[in-house]
Amino acid sequence: MKKQIIYTLIGTFILLGTGGCRKYLDITPDGRITMGNVWSDPKMTAAYLNTAYQAMTVNQGGERYFTYAFLEGITDLFHDSDDLEPDPLVANMWYRGSLTPSYDPTHHFAATRNGDVYTAYWAGIRSCNVFLKNIDHAAVDYPGDRARFKAEAKVLRAWYYMQLCRKYGPMPVVKEPIEIQAEFAKLKRPSSFQEIADYMNEEWQEMKNVQELPWRITLATEKGRMTKAVMLLLRSQAQLFAASPLYNKENDLGKWEKARDYTKEGIELLSTNGKYQLYHDASLGESSFENYFLTNQDFSAFPRDKETIMENQTTESMVNGFATLMNGFPQRGISEKAGSCPTQELVDMFDMQATGLPVLEPAKPYLDNKHLQPSYYTGSGYDPLNPYAGRDPRFYATVLYNGAYSPGPAVFVETYIGGASGLKSTDRRHTRTGYYLRKFINQDVQINPGTYWKRMRFAEFYLNLAEAENELNGPTEAVRKAMEPIRTRAHMPAIPAGISSKEEMRAYLQKERSVELALEEQRVWDVRRWKILDKTDKLVTGMKITKTGENTFSYTRFVVGERQSWADKFLLFPIPETEIAVLGATWQNPGW
């Protein structure tokens, strides 16, 4: 099946009022193509699987939230410059706590951007189930196609489930097409996330020996197709969720043991078979991490990029320069808005490179509730009067700060008061935090600087493994060894040996995860599964910089804004009220 062969089969399906169900018709409205015709034609069999993929396009991540914002703008790591806009944009509506069962600020009104995943992904699951019900007797071009298509549809179905469950909580695993006359109110939600994790593991056990399902995609014409690598990471993610505090109130260590073992197996299998490894270009030195996010995935048996597991199919940044226009800074000259700007909370998370020590105490970074009084980590080497010197190289790859050089417009960024790109609350082209975004934006290019957004990458395995190992056995050498590849790639020393308690290491790993995965839509779900939303999402801060001399500045922390989306009910998104009308009130999440 080639991605360029797309048969829409218009009229083959109808989407019911409930997002979770599609009715599979025996004959299309024009009377010309029966479903028997579909499964008797190899090209149409392949095309049907292609239609199952189409639900993925409803939410492609990246900067496609309304309007051209990253989802992590609703977390403590970023603050969007649209916060004061009168229109109902994702940032300002989320900050006001506007989420309800009838309104989700993270949905874009345009279907081609990040829209209603609840409806779309249930429809995608339905398409996978119809395909799996028919593939055993369907016509295919080559003997190996049937095995690959079948395994691929199962991975795709698992992908849809993981996206739904991390947002809305555990969903019933349905493996057969639900007919139109079904009593949907009788569907019961799982009692725990472990049922979802067990489902993911069962799927892996069934497909791990399917030789036709590849470990990685090596042909550009097959970009976006599911692989064993995707399934292994989904399995690791699901078990990590099942073991986390939101779903593991009794702290069952057996769940953490599974999370460790699944993740370790994923690393071993992918390192051996798919030859996955962290992206590293020796010629770039410390810029290797930055360059990875400016490099599009390449497809061959021996790719340069061996880290990416899944990458966006399209991005408007690549087409018309929206990454410049919508996520730039005034000194670029053509930026329409600053977009998702790093917060002081994120900046504080980057360690000092020379010592490898945190800037602030990981477990209690601030002495006050407003985050204006930092609790400095002893001996790190951090200088509050020169705050951006000597930091983790990932800081320079993620954040544009006062004095940073941007070669595209060939300027030094001026975020101090009165500077060309300084704070300004009345103009969305200016930062609200004192910082601008660098990650995913090529600073060497002024026009069309965006690159494809990474959805899944090999680095996550190491972070998952370190977290599970610490929850099982505390801050042992195994935790530091799990993090070694990530720290080494970043040109950072090993995790400090002085971190000696499970609680302190937990806080350190949560910080490290934020630094490594910033802007990749992980923080949104991480703070929920850790059940720390009330500690991270009440407010964010920035840095007000005043020029005191030719090259001297003073630095003052300030509260950028307080938010209203941190209560326990926000740990899970509400099931849309249109679905509750069909499924019943027992389906709704707590607090909604």
Side-chain angles (χ1 to χ4, degrees):
M1 180 183 66
K2 307 300 185 190
K3 291 301 285 185
Q4 70 266 33
I5 302 176
I6 301 291
Y7 289 74
T8 60
L9 301 179
I10 296 175
T12 304
F13 322 112
I14 59 172
L15 184 60
L16 302 181
T18 177
C21 310
R22 283 190 171 190
K23 176 61 180 171
Y24 158 24
L25 302 178
D26 291 328
I27 193 165
T28 54
D30 63 9
R32 297 177 183 178
I33 301 176
T34 67
M35 291 307 293
N37 294 145
V38 172
W39 307 117
S40 63
D41 184 322
K43 287 184 173 59
M44 296 188 76
T45 295
Y48 196 105
L49 181 55
N50 275 338
T51 67
Y53 275 96
Q54 296 311 301
M56 291 184 70
T57 64
V58 172
N59 188 291
Q60 297 196 46
E63 83 292 358
R64 298 169 70 85
Y65 295 89
F66 192 44
T67 177
Y68 296 98
F70 289 87
L71 185 61
E72 288 205 355
I74 72 173
T75 73
D76 60 330
L77 303 186
F78 295 88
H79 189 86
D80 201 277
S81 64
D82 274 332
D83 58 349
L84 300 178
E85 288 294 308
D87 296 325
L89 310 181
V90 60
N92 58 359
M93 297 306 287
W94 187 268
Y95 301 160
R96 297 175 193 174
S98 298
L99 177 66
T100 70
S102 61
Y103 174 65
D104 185 345
T106 68
H107 287 173
H108 199 298
F109 66 87
T112 56
R113 298 181 188 162
N114 292 326
D116 180 3
V117 297
Y118 191 92
T119 299
Y121 289 172
W122 270 117
I125 290 170
R126 168 71 187 187
S127 294
C128 290
N129 285 340
V130 170
F131 183 83
L132 288 167
K133 184 175 182 177
N134 290 279
I135 184 59
D136 285 340
H137 64 259
V140 294
D141 280 324
Y142 306 102
D145 283 353
R146 193 183 319 278
R148 178 176 181 179
F149 290 175
K150 190 172 183 178
E152 199 172 312
K154 289 185 176 183
V155 182
L156 180 59
R157 182 174 63 186
W159 189 88
Y160 287 136
Y161 266 115
M162 188 61 207
Q163 313 318 306
L164 283 170
C165 293
R166 70 179 184 176
K167 183 172 184 177
Y168 299 104
M171 294 284 127
V173 176
V174 181
K175 296 185 178 181
E176 293 286 336
I178 300 177
E179 301 301 336
I180 192 170
Q181 67 272 19
E183 295 184 53
F184 300 110
K186 290 186 176 180
L187 279 174
K188 302 298 181 184
R189 296 186 65 180
S191 59
S192 73
F193 211 99
Q194 189 59 50
E195 294 182 44
I196 305 303
D198 290 343
Y199 155 67
M200 298 287 183
N201 181 51
E202 290 166 5
E203 294 290 82
W204 168 248
Q205 299 305 328
E206 288 185 14
M207 70 183 66
K208 66 181 181 181
N209 293 320
V210 177
Q211 295 182 358
E212 292 82 0
L213 182 66
W215 295 94
R216 70 159 65 250
I217 298 301
T218 58
L219 299 174
T221 53
E222 295 184 349
K223 179 179 180 178
R225 292 181 63 176
M226 294 295 158
T227 63
K228 287 179 177 175
V230 172
M231 191 67 232
L232 280 167
L233 187 49
L234 289 172
R235 178 180 178 235
S236 171
Q237 290 174 342
Q239 189 57 53
L240 199 71
F241 266 74
S244 295
L246 182 59
Y247 299 108
N248 188 13
K249 297 177 176 61
E250 68 283 7
N251 194 28
D252 180 355
L253 293 182
K255 295 180 179 181
W256 284 112
E257 184 175 18
K258 285 183 178 180
R260 179 197 62 185
D261 293 347
Y262 291 176
T263 305
K264 184 181 293 185
E265 182 182 19
I267 293 172
E268 292 170 352
L269 288 173
L270 293 180
S271 297
T272 302
N273 295 286
K275 304 300 182 185
Y276 283 85
Q277 62 185 44
L278 299 189
Y279 177 91
H280 180 69
D281 187 332
S283 67
L284 296 173
E286 293 182 359
S287 298
S288 216
F289 178 82
E290 177 182 2
N291 192 68
Y292 169 65
F293 298 100
L294 307 179
T295 302
N296 297 329
Q297 188 178 10
D298 55 325
F299 301 93
S300 71
F302 305 99
R304 180 188 181 202
D305 172 9
K306 298 177 181 178
E307 180 170 354
T308 302
I309 293 175
M310 183 185 292
E311 186 177 76
N312 258 14
Q313 299 305 291
T314 60
T315 173
E316 298 192 30
S317 306
M318 296 290 290
V319 178
N320 50 23
F322 273 115
T324 299
L325 293 172
M326 310 305 283
N327 287 282
F329 58 103
Q331 284 171 270
R332 273 192 178 275
I334 58 172
S335 62
E336 184 170 327
K337 75 168 199 171
S340 301
C341 297
T343 62
Q344 188 60 43
E345 281 77 9
L346 174 59
V347 171
D348 288 339
M349 291 179 183
F350 291 92
D351 294 345
M352 298 302 293
Q353 185 179 26
T355 62
L357 296 175
V359 170
L360 306 183
E361 291 283 350
K364 190 174 177 56
Y366 306 102
L367 300 173
D368 66 319
N369 293 331
K370 297 292 188 181
H371 299 183
L372 301 179
Q373 299 177 39
S375 178
Y376 293 114
Y377 194 91
T378 303
S380 71
Y382 175 75
D383 180 3
L385 298 179
N386 193 14
Y388 311 126
R391 306 295 289 274
D392 182 330
R394 289 173 292 185
F395 168 71
Y396 306 107
T398 306
V399 180
L400 282 175
Y401 55 95
N402 186 56
Y405 178 67
S406 178
V411 297
F412 289 95
V413 181
E414 299 177 355
T415 65
Y416 57 84
I417 301 299
S421 297
L423 293 166
K424 190 177 293 186
S425 61
T426 57
D427 184 349
R428 71 177 189 165
R429 294 179 305 158
H430 287 254
T431 177
R432 297 287 187 269
T433 65
Y435 304 101
Y436 293 90
L437 178 64
R438 187 182 188 100
K439 192 172 183 179
F440 285 112
I441 298 178
N442 191 338
Q443 297 300 317
D444 289 320
V445 180
Q446 190 162 0
I447 305 296
N448 296 338
T451 54
Y452 288 116
W453 187 74
K454 313 293 185 185
R455 297 193 83 152
M456 302 176 81
R457 59 187 179 99
F458 190 59
E460 187 182 339
F461 278 105
Y462 294 116
L463 294 161
N464 293 358
L465 178 59
E467 182 177 344
E469 183 64 46
N470 181 61
E471 294 302 328
L472 264 178
N473 301 309
T476 63
E477 186 58 31
V479 176
R480 295 179 175 85
K481 186 173 179 60
M483 288 300 301
E484 185 177 354
I486 285 179
R487 299 280 288 187
T488 299
R489 191 260 295 274
H491 288 258
M492 288 294 293
I495 291 177
I499 298 176
S500 56
S501 72
K502 178 185 290 190
E503 293 71 25
E504 187 179 4
M505 181 61 81
R506 179 186 300 136
Y508 188 91
L509 293 176
Q510 290 176 357
K511 174 192 70 64
E512 186 74 11
R513 189 177 180 93
S514 299
V515 164
E516 176 71 22
L517 300 176
L519 215 69
E520 297 177 50
E521 290 191 13
Q522 296 278 2
R523 183 71 171 178
V524 177
W525 315 116
D526 283 341
V527 295
R528 285 167 169 76
R529 67 179 177 86
W530 292 329
K531 213 172 178 182
I532 61 172
L533 192 64
D534 61 334
K535 297 179 177 63
T536 59
D537 281 47
K538 287 185 176 181
L539 58 82
V540 294
T541 60
M543 187 68 81
K544 186 178 296 182
I545 305 173
T546 303
K547 192 170 186 178
T548 58
E550 183 62 30
N551 291 302
T552 59
F553 304 89
S554 64
Y555 302 87
T556 305
R557 294 167 182 260
F558 72 100
V559 174
V560 174
E562 298 189 5
R563 300 179 178 178
Q564 306 301 320
S565 301
W566 52 265
D568 277 355
K569 71 176 185 177
F570 289 97
L571 291 170
L572 292 174
F573 281 60
I575 307 296
E577 65 178 5
T578 52
E579 303 295 324
I580 295 301
V582 176
L583 298 166
T586 59
W587 264 64
Q588 191 54 276
N589 286 321
W592 298 106

